[in-house]
Amino acid sequence: FMENQNERDEIEIDLVELFYVLWGHVWLILSIGLFCALSCFALSKFVIAPTYKSTTKIYILNKSDSSSVTYSDVQLGTQLTKDYAELINSRYVLEAVIQELGLNMEYKDLLKKIDVTTPSDTRIVSITVEDHDPVQAMNIANSVRENASTHIQNVMDIDAVNVAETANMPTEKASPSCSKWALIGGLLGCLGISAIILIRYLMDDTIKSSDDIEKYLGLSTLALIPMKEDEVNSKKKKNKIKTKKDI
């Protein structure tokens, strides 16, 4: 029990010691963190091209003999929304959009810009397009909706595909977020410099004081011999001569 207690005490002392090591360099850590935060903020604000998102929504009705919509129709519609999403992302629809708008891109490139979501328990399908140009994002979203509506009606034998919401003109960028980039950059900067400080401290095994002798060697110092002023002055002179030679 005493051995376990001693091991715990040593761990606590080491952790406290590491904390004081970091605390002694707190201004350096904060300075590096602030520098990294400002750098990431400037990078996201002025260097990285912003992207914009435009969303349009459609409402799909199944063919039914009765004029009223029953609960079974709603259930069937929600089960088929995944099929609708596949048809919206199909090569037929996206290549028609590329030809209609004269886009200089291939099917795979346009597919990466489109995100189709289907909220649960609804027959509404959301089509979101992300692009560096807000006008082009809106035009692509509207074109995808129109071509997909025709394709869904022909393939799935759907009664109607109604427009629930037309594509909006995005006025604010979707990414990158300057605040998030600054926060992440500041945290990474603080963690990085803290890791460097701790590694340098742990790798340094030199004896610097009598306390280190008692701590690491388990020996007590009998006396301390101070250096003479002549020796101190001579060492200072040697250091000055070395710096002059280096210059």
Side-chain angles (χ1 to χ4, degrees), residues 80 93 232 242 247:
L80 292 175
V93 172
V232 175
K242 287 182 180 179
I247 294 172

Side-chain angles (χ1 to χ4, degrees), residues 6 24-25 51 54 60 74 87 91 97 106 113 121 124 128 150 153 162 173 189 214 216 224 236:
N6 291 333
H25 298 81
T51 57
S54 181
I60 302 174
V74 176
L87 291 175
R91 182 182 293 273
V97 173
E106 297 181 355
K113 296 175 177 289
D121 298 331
I124 295 178
T128 302
T150 304
Q153 290 182 49
N162 297 331
K173 65 179 183 179
E214 295 180 1
Y216 297 111
L224 296 176
K236 290 183 179 179

Side-chain angles (χ1 to χ4, degrees), residues 73-88:
D73 293 334
V74 176
Q75 281 189 324
L76 180 60
T78 55
Q79 292 173 0
L80 292 175
T81 49
K82 292 183 179 180
D83 297 337
Y84 303 148
E86 289 297 324
L87 291 175
I88 293 171

Side-chain angles (χ1 to χ4, degrees), residues 28-120:
L28 176 62
I29 295 172
L30 293 178
S31 299
I32 297 297
L34 180 61
F35 173 77
C36 293
L38 293 176
S39 300
C40 290
F41 179 85
L43 185 66
S44 62
K45 183 74 174 179
F46 304 108
V47 178
I48 300 177
T51 57
Y52 300 87
K53 288 184 178 181
S54 181
T55 301
T56 182
K57 297 179 181 180
I58 57 177
Y59 182 76
I60 302 174
L61 292 175
N62 298 324
K63 277 191 174 181
S64 179
D65 295 334
S66 60
S67 58
S68 61
V69 179
T70 63
Y71 179 72
S72 60
D73 293 334
V74 176
Q75 281 189 324
L76 180 60
T78 55
Q79 292 173 0
L80 292 175
T81 49
K82 292 183 179 180
D83 297 337
Y84 303 148
E86 289 297 324
L87 291 175
I88 293 171
N89 288 326
S90 64
R91 182 182 293 273
Y92 177 85
V93 172
L94 297 189
E95 286 184 350
V97 173
I98 293 173
Q99 292 180 0
E100 181 180 332
L101 299 178
L103 301 176
N104 186 19
M105 62 180 67
E106 297 181 355
Y107 159 74
K108 293 181 179 179
D109 299 327
L110 182 57
L111 182 61
K112 295 177 182 178
K113 296 175 177 289
I114 299 174
D115 181 28
V116 180
T117 57
T118 54
S120 59

